[in-house]
Amino acid sequence: MNQKRLKQRISNFLTGEYFTDALRITLSIITPAGVLFALGLAQPAIGVTLGALLIALTDLRGTIEDKRTTTTVSILLFFLVSLISIAALPYPWLMGAVFFLITLGCSMLTAYGSRLSMAGTAAIVLMIFIWGLNPTDYWFCLYLLMGGLWYYAISLLHLWLWPERYLRYAISEALLTTHNYLQVKALFYDTDLTLKDCYNQAILSHTRVSEAQQQLRSILLRDKAVMHQDNRTGQVLLHVAEKTIDLYEQITAIHYDYDFIRNQFAITGALDLIQQMIRLLAADMLHVSEMKPFSTRPQQGTQTDRQLTQLTARFEYLIKKENDSNAAILSQLLANLKSIYADIQEIDHTLRNETNVIIPAKTQVEYQHFAPFEKLEWKQLVSHFKISSPIFRFSLRLAVTCLFCYLLAQVFVLGKYSYWILITVVVIIKPAFSLTRQRNIQRLTGTLLGIVLALVLLYFVTNTAILLVFAAVFLLVYFTFNRTHHLVSVIALTPMVISIVYLYGNSGWGFVLERIYDTLIGCAIAFGATYLFPSWESSRMLFLCRELLKSNLHYLEKLDDALSGKPMNVTAYKLARKSVYLGQANLSQSFQRMLREPGNKAIVSEYMYHFQMLNHMLSAHIASLFRSLSMQDNADPFADRNRVKAVRDVLFQSLLLLDPSPREATPDDSENRLSESLHLSPEEYKDPFFSLKTIGGQIRLCCLELRTVLA
């Protein structure tokens, strides 16, 4: 990495969302703590600091309405939980019942999404801290309330000063993940890599793109102020967001039969030129994604114009040397690359000239249909109170485990800070087995490394003020990496806690030893609890495969409508595209989690990989055909509609094969298997509709095998 790039990365980190948020959160927490401790108000200082800290844990990226709703619910929930917990403290049997019921109820908030899920987790942590700290009166509830209101005021001020801040970061992240996907696309032209590895990387990269796009939709489309027609900045950012999502479709549309491309152009030098051009486009996207959100002056544009011009000239020279058939393929690919470059330049120009850029007129889209559903309704929560619900099973698992840990602490003398066992359990246990196991490893590793760091710090630093500064720095690091690198955040959290307890708890070095065995006990209990009311990913595979096939069928219907000459319904088309992207991401995420489950529960089948790859190819081909239609490139719409109908019929048959009800193999299964596995000629490969039919047939054969595997 050159020096310029290193400086750029450091600058991006220091001005990025995670560090600046962490700095604000840390200052919001330590400021009231420092003032109150300086005034000799130790109990209020602990209560206010804890209240601010817990509200900060729920402060996720979102609109001002999101933050207002989450913070209001959290403050009221924390106040109620603290009242109930303090009232139950003198009665161990009642406290046990409170542990179970509050843990169960707060965990069920996962039904409302990640925001209220974090609020529920923070409420459980608060209950555990109250049990461990054992406050003497109800004033502690008021201190918690004051801490929450203090942090809420700071958060609102921050959003008032920079209302579009999170939206800009969401756009940046969507561009960055699309840049990563574009880099993966370059690998398909590298003959040293297998196509299977390339497709696996593309599917994983697509999942990250889909997550970023969904986050962008959530922040943009549900922000009434930004979406208002009179908000010029909002309309500019809406245009950029649309172009960013459309750009991803354009990138997926660069799809061919890569076996054919590799064999046909391996010795011409075309593959190397394509790789270089794609990587230069990716470099441009990276540059655009790294624009400073608060810059008040136009920044320098992209830097690859000259290089791309030279590579384009060389590519055009190669095209002239090819025969007509191959020249047509390369010309189409070059046209796609130029179109991607034009879109990147438009996004770059728009972001650098927000105040005077002219937003082009476009077809009206009904944006409300794209916003993720986030409503707080009782029926949404009540519907999950059944044993078949993964959320209820997770909540029951966590509640039983917390009650077990509480009873364990009542029966055995585990130490002064035994409540850290419960904290460890709550932090580690997640709805999915794979996430729990991953958190278990990260928690154990991070705690042990953090303890080593704390021991070194306490050995060499004896000054109280310096130790407090280090504790603040560790808290800053914790919040910086809490959402992105859990291991790093745990490493930072451990010495921070040890330093504070060492200074104000008069615990001496014995606390360090207790922290080690508390973590070991908590990790062991959390790991054992993963087998309690489990919800295995393998049980969802059949459903997710069917949902993805349904989405691709719907996407094909929109292609058929376009071929029929009907006016394009942009909203319906983009909704179909979104459904396919989310279906691919959901299946990929679930499959990756399943691979980390116990061997006897995971379905490790080559056909699952193949099914994902084929559906990825199918959606890419459909996107490519939509692009061709937009350029009026269809010569025979009637014949093309018939071929699309044939593919839809094959996909519908595939859907029936994955029907969960028992079904015997039909007599023509083997015949279809034989006919659809024949090799295709080069001329057939060049016909996109024939390739579409071929992929459809392969999906059907794959479903024949999956029917047995997933039964």
Side-chain angles (χ1 to χ4, degrees):
M1 184 183 299
N2 58 47
Q3 188 176 10
K4 181 179 179 181
R5 181 62 189 153
L6 179 61
K7 289 182 179 179
Q8 180 67 42
R9 294 192 66 172
I10 294 174
S11 174
N12 293 338
F13 174 77
L14 294 177
T15 59
E17 174 187 8
Y18 299 118
F19 181 79
T20 53
D21 270 359
L23 185 60
R24 169 178 57 85
I25 292 171
T26 302
L27 291 175
S28 300
I29 293 172
I30 66 175
T31 299
V35 171
L36 291 172
F37 267 116
L39 295 175
L41 303 173
Q43 189 76 354
I46 294 174
V48 170
T49 302
L50 184 58
L53 174 63
L54 292 175
I55 292 294
L57 292 175
T58 69
D59 190 10
L60 305 179
R61 180 194 286 173
T63 65
I64 191 168
E65 289 82 6
D66 290 332
K67 290 179 178 289
R68 183 180 294 116
T69 300
T70 305
T71 305
T72 302
V73 171
S74 299
I75 289 175
L76 294 176
L77 180 63
F78 295 167
F79 186 73
L80 180 62
V81 167
S82 62
L83 280 176
I84 295 173
S85 301
I86 292 176
L89 273 177
Y91 313 100
W93 60 271
L94 181 59
M95 193 65 199
V98 166
F99 256 109
F100 180 83
L101 294 175
I102 287 182
T103 303
L104 179 65
C106 290
S107 300
M108 287 298 297
L109 292 178
T110 304
Y112 293 121
S114 58
R115 294 181 176 282
L116 291 188
S117 174
M118 282 300 302
T121 301
I124 298 170
V125 170
L126 170 61
M127 175 183 60
I128 296 170
F129 269 124
I130 288 176
W131 174 60
L133 296 173
N134 196 20
T136 56
D137 53 49
Y138 289 98
W139 282 103
F140 192 77
C141 303
L142 182 61
Y143 302 148
L144 286 169
L145 182 63
M146 292 170 60
L149 292 173
W150 156 260
Y151 183 87
Y152 183 35
I154 297 297
S155 182
L156 285 181
L157 176 64
H158 180 253
L159 281 176
W160 180 73
L161 293 173
W162 298 288
E164 297 96 13
R165 177 178 183 272
Y166 287 112
L167 174 56
R168 293 178 184 275
Y169 279 124
I171 291 174
S172 176
E173 188 168 329
L175 284 166
L176 181 60
T177 54
T178 306
H179 148 268
N180 294 335
Y181 182 81
L182 188 55
Q183 284 189 314
V184 172
K185 292 292 284 187
L187 302 179
F188 283 91
Y189 302 93
D190 186 348
T191 54
D192 292 332
L193 299 174
T194 65
L195 288 178
K196 178 183 175 181
D197 290 339
C198 294
Y199 275 114
N200 285 339
Q201 290 191 49
I203 291 169
L204 292 175
S205 184
H206 164 80
T207 301
R208 290 186 283 271
V209 174
S210 182
E211 289 176 348
Q213 290 183 357
Q214 192 71 343
Q215 179 72 230
L216 176 56
R217 294 187 191 100
S218 177
I219 295 175
L220 171 64
L221 302 180
R222 295 188 304 105
D223 192 323
K224 296 178 182 178
V226 170
M227 291 295 293
H228 198 278
Q229 291 289 336
D230 296 333
N231 187 333
R232 174 172 174 78
T233 300
Q235 292 301 302
V236 169
L237 294 178
L238 173 62
H239 174 67
V240 171
E242 278 191 290
K243 292 298 295 184
T244 299
I245 295 175
D246 289 342
L247 176 60
Y248 177 68
E249 182 194 43
Q250 172 78 337
I251 293 171
T252 61
I254 309 178
H255 191 89
Y256 298 91
D257 184 278
Y258 291 109
D259 270 327
F260 174 81
I261 292 289
R262 287 182 174 194
N263 293 330
Q264 200 74 6
F265 302 108
I267 61 175
T268 65
L271 298 181
D272 184 57
L273 282 177
I274 295 170
Q275 286 186 70
Q276 291 183 56
M277 294 177 74
I278 291 177
R279 288 189 176 117
L280 283 176
L281 293 176
D284 275 356
M285 288 198 66
L286 179 62
H287 172 81
V288 176
S289 73
E290 291 176 341
M291 280 192 178
K292 302 297 184 295
F294 308 117
S295 178
T296 56
R297 58 184 176 82
Q299 301 177 18
Q300 190 176 13
T302 55
Q303 303 292 308
T304 60
D305 297 23
R306 183 176 178 182
Q307 293 170 282
L308 277 171
T309 301
Q310 293 173 346
L311 290 174
T312 301
R314 291 172 57 189
F315 200 73
E316 290 173 342
Y317 175 75
L318 284 178
I319 292 175
K320 293 177 182 179
K321 296 172 61 178
E322 293 288 344
N323 58 46
D324 292 344
S325 180
N326 286 348
I329 294 174
L330 293 180
S331 296
Q332 179 61 44
L333 201 153
L334 180 60
N336 284 336
L337 293 176
K338 287 181 177 179
S339 179
I340 291 172
Y341 178 66
D343 286 345
I344 295 172
Q345 292 300 307
E346 181 179 347
I347 294 172
D348 175 66
H349 174 73
T350 304
L351 289 174
R352 288 189 293 110
N353 302 276
E354 289 184 22
T355 56
N356 53 18
V357 70
I358 299 175
I359 303 175
K362 53 192 173 184
T363 306
Q364 186 63 37
V365 178
E366 299 174 50
Y367 295 109
Q368 69 273 15
H369 296 299
F370 296 85
F373 178 81
E374 290 191 20
K375 285 188 177 181
L376 303 181
E377 297 179 347
W378 279 109
K379 61 181 180 180
Q380 186 179 351
L381 179 64
V382 172
S383 66
H384 285 280
F385 275 95
K386 52 187 177 183
I387 197 64
S388 60
S389 168
I391 292 176
F392 181 73
R393 295 168 78 91
F394 157 69
S395 302
L396 192 59
R397 181 189 317 135
L398 185 58
V400 170
T401 307
C402 285
L403 178 60
F404 172 78
C405 292
Y406 172 78
L407 295 175
L408 189 68
Q410 295 298 314
V411 175
F412 301 100
V413 180
L414 300 175
K416 182 180 178 181
Y417 300 97
S418 58
Y419 58 89
W420 277 104
I421 298 175
L422 275 156
I423 297 290
T424 301
V425 166
V426 171
V427 170
I428 288 177
I429 292 183
K430 298 297 176 185
F433 176 91
S434 59
L435 295 178
T436 301
R437 190 177 74 169
Q438 182 183 25
R439 280 295 179 93
N440 207 319
I441 295 172
Q442 291 174 338
R443 182 77 177 184
L444 184 58
T445 305
T447 299
L448 294 178
L449 292 175
I451 287 173
V452 173
L453 184 58
L455 291 175
V456 173
L457 178 66
L458 294 178
Y459 181 80
F460 287 103
V461 179
T462 56
N463 185 278
T464 300
I466 296 177
L467 277 176
L468 287 174
V469 171
F470 271 107
V473 171
F474 286 133
L475 185 63
L476 175 63
V477 174
Y478 167 75
F479 278 110
T480 301
F481 295 100
N482 186 37
R483 286 180 281 172
T484 56
H485 298 85
H486 184 70
L487 176 61
V488 177
S489 68
V490 174
I491 293 174
L493 179 66
T494 303
M496 188 275 291
V497 171
I498 290 177
S499 299
I500 295 298
V501 174
Y502 180 80
L503 288 174
Y504 295 102
N506 299 317
S507 301
W509 293 92
F511 170 70
V512 177
L513 179 61
E514 187 177 338
R515 186 81 173 89
I516 294 175
Y517 70 70
D518 282 347
T519 300
L520 292 174
I521 294 173
C523 287
I525 293 174
F527 182 76
T530 55
Y531 294 92
L532 186 65
F533 312 115
S535 181
W536 305 114
E537 294 293 333
S538 56
S539 63
R540 303 180 66 232
M541 285 294 104
L542 191 62
F543 169 77
L544 293 174
C545 288
R546 286 176 55 82
E547 289 300 302
L548 180 52
L549 274 178
K550 288 179 184 177
S551 297
N552 267 319
L553 265 169
H554 189 51
Y555 202 19
L556 269 176
E557 288 175 7
K558 300 309 166 189
L559 178 62
D560 186 42
D561 290 344
L563 287 167
S564 70
K566 295 179 182 178
M568 172 71 81
N569 185 329
V570 179
T571 299
Y573 158 68
K574 290 191 173 183
L575 281 172
R577 181 184 67 182
K578 172 192 170 187
S579 178
V580 170
Y581 290 169
L582 288 178
Q584 290 176 350
N586 290 337
L587 178 58
S588 175
Q589 287 176 319
S590 184
F591 182 67
Q592 292 301 318
R593 290 195 295 266
M594 184 185 68
L595 293 179
R596 295 191 290 270
E597 291 181 348
N600 62 329
K601 301 297 180 183
I603 302 173
V604 183
S605 169
E606 191 67 24
Y607 295 105
M608 281 302 305
Y609 287 103
H610 201 51
F611 182 83
Q612 294 180 76
M613 181 187 74
L614 289 172
N615 276 274
H616 187 81
M617 293 170 62
L618 178 65
S619 61
H621 271 76
I622 297 173
S624 180
L625 288 168
F626 267 114
R627 289 284 170 176
S628 298
L629 288 175
S630 67
M631 296 182 286
Q632 303 298 320
D633 205 17
N634 53 320
D636 189 355
F638 182 76
D640 291 343
R641 285 194 69 191
N642 285 336
R643 290 192 282 184
V644 168
K645 182 180 182 302
V647 178
R648 288 173 58 192
D649 289 342
V650 171
L651 290 183
F652 187 73
Q653 293 173 23
S654 303
L655 197 58
L656 292 177
L657 288 172
L658 295 182
D659 194 302
S661 59
R663 177 181 178 274
E664 296 296 329
T666 56
D668 65 334
D669 282 347
S670 59
E671 180 182 346
N672 286 332
R673 181 193 304 270
L674 179 63
S675 63
E676 291 171 350
S677 62
L678 297 175
H679 293 290
L680 301 176
S681 68
E683 291 303 320
E684 291 170 332
Y685 272 129
K686 297 170 190 174
D687 183 344
F689 285 97
F690 200 95
S691 298
L692 201 66
K693 180 182 177 183
T694 304
I695 295 171
Q698 291 176 346
I699 288 176
R700 184 181 184 281
L701 295 178
C702 191
C703 289
L704 277 170
E705 303 293 343
L706 283 178
R707 181 181 59 179
T708 303
V709 173
L710 297 177

